[in-house]
Amino acid sequence: MALLLVLAVPHAQSASFEFWSSHSGPMAQAVRQLCAGFNAAQKQHQVRCVTPGSYEQTMQKTIAAYRAAQQPALVEIYDVGTLDMMLSGAIVPVHQLMAAHGYHVDWQDYLPAIRSYYTDAKGQFDSLPFNVSTAVLYLNTSRLQQAGINTLPATWSELEQAARQLRAAGQTCPLVSDFNPWILLEQVSTIEGAPLADQDNGHRSLATHYLFDQGLHLRFMQQVQRWHQQHLLVEAAATRTGRHTLAFTTGECAMLLDSTSAWHAVARSGLPGLAVLPLPVHAGSARHNSVPGGASLWVMKGFDDQVYAAVAAFIAYLQQPQNQRLLVRQTGYLPVTRQVAAQIMDDAGHYPASVVAGIHSLDANAGQPGVGPRLGFFPQLRLAWTEQVQTALAGQQDMASALAKARRRGDALLQRFRLTYAPADSPAPQR
Amino acid sequence: MDTRPAFPARWFPLLLAAPQMLIVFLFFLWPAVKAIAWSFYLVRPFGNGSRFVGLDNYLRILTDDGFYASLRATLVFTAGSTLLAVTLALALAACLELDVRAKRLLRSIFIWPYAVAGVVVGIVLKVLINPVTGLLAFLNHLWPGLWAPHLAGQQAMLVLIAAFAWTQVPLNFILFSAALQRIPADLTGAAAIDGAGPWRRFMDIQLPMIAPALLLAGVLNVIEAFTHGFGLVDALTQGGPGRSTAILAYQIYSDGFIGLDLSGSSALSVILMLFIVALTVLQLRFFRQGAGRW
């Protein structure tokens, strides 16, 4: 890699760089297409697109590569890695890169939910939102009609009612979920404006404690536990295939909580009467925007100006509306700018139904844009939550004590994270 | 005359050993040293700073319920899979010492599972243990909810133990077969003439004579379970349900590579390292005594 860069220098102005991303299936294909498109559209720069593995593996390899001075110039990092990247000291903020290379990007055009998630304290983008997804509700309307349900569920109690009727009509699995905290904890809470942690979900400064062991999330999870006991909500592991998306597409389950990006797996199955809705809210609550999941692109430090010029050109290429639309149409990921979102809504018939529902969900507006959680050691909090919720579902403890334990573990994680990133010469933050 | 090989220069043998020494240093010693160093710091993943915290990482781990859950899981997993793997392999090897048909074929078949990676075993098992379509799904027809390895920790652990033991049987089987074949046929033959049945011959002659092989297999299995149970756990349970199958090796991976908590994960691996060192010392001591007796 370093050698290649040295070789590239004599041809002034032209440069090639590596871009790491982490996909398989339709998204991998879209990325390949965008890379090839960029290389074909101009002769000056060359992007080499590499897939190191899953989101987690890309993160691990980026860290290892950076420590060995072998990092790629551009890398796709998943949402929960955002805070680590921001604090890494290893990146060039994308707004700075674009400005330095003479690109006038209208950053204000990015959807508010995305802007609030990916910008720093000054409202500047540190990374480029690339593939944004959010959670939606997939429905098998022909099953719903057979069970006598003609209005699609918009609230959690309507969803419960629908599940009850489906069950009564002989559907053994009315609603399926993989019990991923990404949906049940993060999306559901943010949509109703309930932060998971203090400091505005960690956006104002590093969060100090979690808040999810009471109020909305506790009530919701108690409800979830009841649905689970009554077999209205079935865990993916208890279905024939063990996977929630497949459990829905094979007709075993009539309703599914999943990402907008599950669209292709769902659409490919040719399920008749498919409908996609934003996640429900509780009756009477205002609907806030959901959390933008997925990943963003980070520009790594350690390259010369020619390489950065090439990276900036590639980013400008990705930002072009037609390239955003290409990605959305092929993958079920969401547009990132208002302009493209509006174009898609005007032409909704040509885009995945999950995208339309996803835009509604991500762009819902109840005054202030809600901010998704951006918290330290968050993957471990997800594991702690899963661990405790599983034991509650198995009947070994009640939901309140499960969430209280997950919260305690989470608080310790937040505290360790703050200590890890406290300036070396400052006193440790108060315990 | 001195028959020991003579080298022209003192550095030459060292040069020959150098590649191996380099590999051991780079891939075994250096990471171990690094892990010990990191375990006293809070390390930022990208290396842009760290904070010395003394024994804090260890204290935190030793006062954490989760650690003891992991430790318990590790012990149950290790003891269970070692016991099962040794017993099964012993039974198979002993049976092949009797007069059975297709001995050679069976002998090679019993070795096959050794070639299957832990992750593959995990994926195949995931299908086999499915509560709706898997092998034990009939239990749920007898009593709904009886077979639910995704909710019941003990069931998940049983599956893991069975799966890991399955991967360990072949090596044990080779060890035991070889040891059994080293027993002089005169001994078993004489015992048979004296009227000792197969069980009696096994208990009184064969078993005592292959005791060193049993011990060796036990040692290898325990270390293997401590360090390499991870691929199987990752593919099958991800440490769940609850923390019932989060063995230490998996916890280290999950804290360090998923959670990016390099210091906590380093401290945990130092603890695991200490366990293994203690275990090895104990076993070597056993071996020395054993070598004198047998």
Side-chain angles (χ1 to χ4, degrees):
Chain A
M1 171 93 187
L3 184 71
L4 283 174
L5 294 180
V6 172
L7 290 177
V9 170
H11 309 277
Q13 305 306 322
S14 80
S16 76
F17 66 95
E18 254 181 45
F19 164 40
W20 288 5
S21 67
S22 331
H23 296 278
S24 54
M27 182 63 195
Q29 211 177 331
V31 171
R32 272 198 301 275
Q33 220 169 315
L34 289 169
C35 290
F38 174 73
N39 288 337
Q42 42 79 47
K43 287 282 153 280
Q44 203 179 357
H45 307 299
Q46 186 84 19
V47 58
R48 275 171 290 116
C49 294
V50 178
T51 311
S54 65
Y55 277 148
E56 283 91 356
Q57 286 167 335
T58 300
M59 182 85 191
Q60 293 155 22
K61 288 178 186 178
T62 302
I63 290 170
Y66 182 76
R67 296 184 78 127
Q70 301 280 316
Q71 71 275 23
L74 188 65
V75 60
E76 180 195 39
I77 296 291
Y78 63 162
D79 51 357
V80 289
T82 303
L83 186 56
D84 291 288
M85 294 303 288
M86 282 181 159
L87 298 175
S88 69
I91 58 123
V92 180
V94 71
H95 72 88
Q96 214 172 301
L97 175 96
M98 297 310 275
H101 287 89
Y103 293 91
H104 298 286
V105 179
D106 182 7
W107 295 108
Q108 294 302 314
D109 190 38
Y110 277 72
L111 294 174
I114 294 176
R115 218 165 55 224
S116 69
Y117 191 84
Y118 283 110
T119 53
D120 62 15
K122 296 194 197 96
Q124 309 266 39
F125 276 90
D126 280 358
S127 62
L128 180 78
F130 181 51
N131 55 322
V132 168
S133 61
T134 199
V136 286
L137 173 66
Y138 290 85
L139 299 165
N140 183 335
T141 55
S142 47
R143 288 290 166 82
L144 265 67
Q145 275 159 12
Q146 280 163 23
I149 305 154
N150 293 312
T151 48
L152 299 181
T155 66
W156 289 111
S157 55
E158 283 171 27
L159 186 75
E160 178 180 341
Q161 186 52 37
R164 246 176 240 298
Q165 272 176 264
L166 280 161
R167 180 111 191 134
Q171 180 84 35
T172 53
C173 170
L175 172 65
V176 65
S177 165
D178 61 353
F179 281 78
N180 192 324
W182 181 64
I183 296 180
L184 297 185
L185 173 61
E186 298 156 45
Q187 299 286 357
V188 169
S189 303
T190 307
I191 287 175
E192 301 206 17
L196 264 54
D198 69 336
Q199 301 297 330
D200 261 347
N201 260 340
H203 284 258
R204 260 184 294 142
S205 65
L206 295 184
T208 61
H209 59 272
Y210 281 99
L211 306 163
F212 61 71
D213 60 336
Q214 52 201 334
L216 175 96
H217 186 61
L218 175 60
R219 283 199 308 278
F220 177 70
M221 287 310 292
Q222 284 168 336
Q223 216 172 1
V224 162
Q225 186 169 25
R226 218 176 42 245
W227 296 343
H228 181 259
Q229 271 162 6
Q230 299 171 359
H231 305 287
L232 303 175
L233 170 59
V234 176
E235 206 180 343
T239 62
R240 306 180 78 85
T241 55
R243 291 166 181 241
H244 56 307
T245 313
L246 286 177
F248 177 73
T249 58
T250 55
E252 186 179 356
C253 304
M255 305 188 285
L256 163 74
L257 303 172
D258 206 342
S259 161
T260 54
S261 63
W263 170 257
H264 276 268
V266 173
R268 203 173 41 228
S269 69
L271 201 70
L274 172 67
V276 191
L277 293 182
L279 281 192
V281 289
H282 285 97
S285 316
R287 181 185 281 280
H288 295 251
N289 56 270
S290 56
V291 189
S296 67
L297 306 188
W298 296 85
V299 183
M300 303 294 294
K301 275 186 183 166
F303 296 90
D304 59 29
D305 240 25
Q306 271 129 6
V307 173
Y308 285 133
V311 175
F314 183 59
I315 287 176
Y317 178 80
L318 294 178
Q319 286 175 321
Q320 289 172 13
Q322 71 270 22
N323 291 328
Q324 259 196 70
R325 288 197 304 265
L326 174 148
L327 189 135
V328 171
R329 195 177 308 116
Q330 298 196 7
T331 62
Y333 280 102
L334 304 178
V336 290
T337 60
R338 281 194 271 223
Q339 183 199 355
V340 176
Q343 288 166 355
I344 289 173
M345 293 310 248
D346 287 344
D347 187 20
H350 290 98
Y351 289 88
S354 70
V355 168
V356 176
I359 294 175
H360 277 304
S361 182
L362 197 63
D363 215 20
N365 187 354
Q368 285 279 76
V371 283
R374 202 167 69 197
L375 303 165
F377 291 139
F378 200 57
Q380 281 170 304
L381 182 273
R382 281 182 173 175
L383 291 177
W385 181 93
T386 305
E387 221 173 271
Q388 295 300 333
V389 167
Q390 278 174 339
T391 58
L393 293 178
Q396 290 158 16
Q397 60 179 337
D398 63 25
M399 197 48 88
S401 73
L403 293 181
K405 280 184 200 160
R407 180 230 152 115
R408 269 203 300 281
R409 188 171 289 269
D411 288 354
L413 287 169
L414 289 179
Q415 198 240 320
R416 261 166 71 67
F417 191 83
R418 286 192 315 145
L419 195 57
T420 305
Y421 281 97
D425 47 357
S426 79
Q430 289 302 304
R431 281 179 191 244
Chain B
M1 199 182 95
D2 192 357
T3 55
R4 282 177 305 173
F7 290 107
R10 203 180 266 262
W11 53 266
F12 190 64
L14 283 178
L15 188 72
L16 291 180
Q20 181 67 15
M21 307 253 286
L22 197 69
I23 287 173
V24 169
F25 178 77
L26 274 183
F27 294 101
F28 295 94
L29 290 181
W30 180 241
V33 168
K34 201 83 186 171
I36 292 172
W38 278 2
S39 70
F40 298 109
Y41 286 84
L42 285 177
V43 180
R44 300 185 192 176
F46 281 89
N48 54 330
S50 59
R51 170 189 286 270
F52 183 75
V53 291
L55 289 172
D56 268 14
N57 289 323
Y58 291 97
L59 291 178
R60 182 182 57 83
I61 289 171
L62 294 176
T63 54
D64 176 11
D65 300 341
F67 168 70
Y68 294 99
S70 279
L71 195 61
R72 203 160 40 239
T74 310
L75 294 180
V76 171
F77 174 71
T78 305
S81 61
T82 302
L83 221 67
L84 188 62
V86 168
T87 319
L88 272 180
L90 190 61
L92 291 174
C95 287
L96 284 196
E97 288 307 303
L98 302 174
D99 221 3
V100 278
R101 246 181 261 176
K103 245 190 222 182
R104 275 162 194 280
L105 181 71
L106 287 175
R107 210 165 260 156
S108 62
I109 286 180
F110 291 157
I111 297 171
W112 285 0
Y114 204 50
V116 182
V119 179
V120 177
V121 179
I123 291 168
V124 172
L125 258 139
K126 199 142 200 168
V127 177
L128 293 181
I129 63 167
N130 181 292
V132 190
T133 55
L135 285 178
L136 293 175
F138 71 92
L139 289 175
N140 288 335
H141 293 292
L142 300 177
W143 184 272
L146 187 58
W147 177 245
H150 57 285
L151 283 180
Q154 294 99 324
Q155 293 180 3
M157 182 52 94
L158 279 180
V159 171
L160 271 187
I161 288 176
F164 196 70
W166 185 76
T167 64
Q168 297 303 300
V169 163
L171 181 68
N172 296 350
F173 171 77
I174 297 175
L175 288 173
F176 298 159
S177 272
L180 284 170
Q181 281 168 31
R182 273 205 307 271
I183 298 174
D186 322 3
L187 286 178
T188 43
I193 291 170
D194 286 346
W199 179 247
R200 195 63 208 255
R201 296 202 298 269
F202 176 71
M203 292 304 287
D204 287 352
I205 298 175
Q206 290 170 316
L207 195 58
M209 292 198 75
I210 64 163
L214 283 180
L215 193 61
L216 175 66
V219 175
L220 292 177
N221 280 188
V222 166
I223 292 180
E224 196 69 12
F226 256 78
T227 53
H228 286 140
F230 141 81
L232 196 61
V233 174
D234 192 37
L236 207 54
T237 64
Q238 285 95 45
R243 217 184 243 228
S244 53
T245 59
I247 60 172
L248 283 175
Y250 183 74
Q251 200 58 41
I252 290 169
Y253 161 79
S254 146
D255 283 356
F257 288 102
I258 309 284
L260 302 183
D261 176 10
L262 299 183
S263 349
S265 155
S266 295
L268 207 52
S269 55
V270 170
I271 293 176
L272 184 67
M273 212 159 14
L274 291 178
F275 266 111
I276 292 177
V277 168
L279 213 69
T280 317
V281 168
L282 260 177
Q283 283 163 338
L284 283 179
R285 185 160 294 172
F286 258 118
F287 260 125
R288 291 229 180 84
Q289 287 175 356
R293 206 176 319 143
W294 289 305

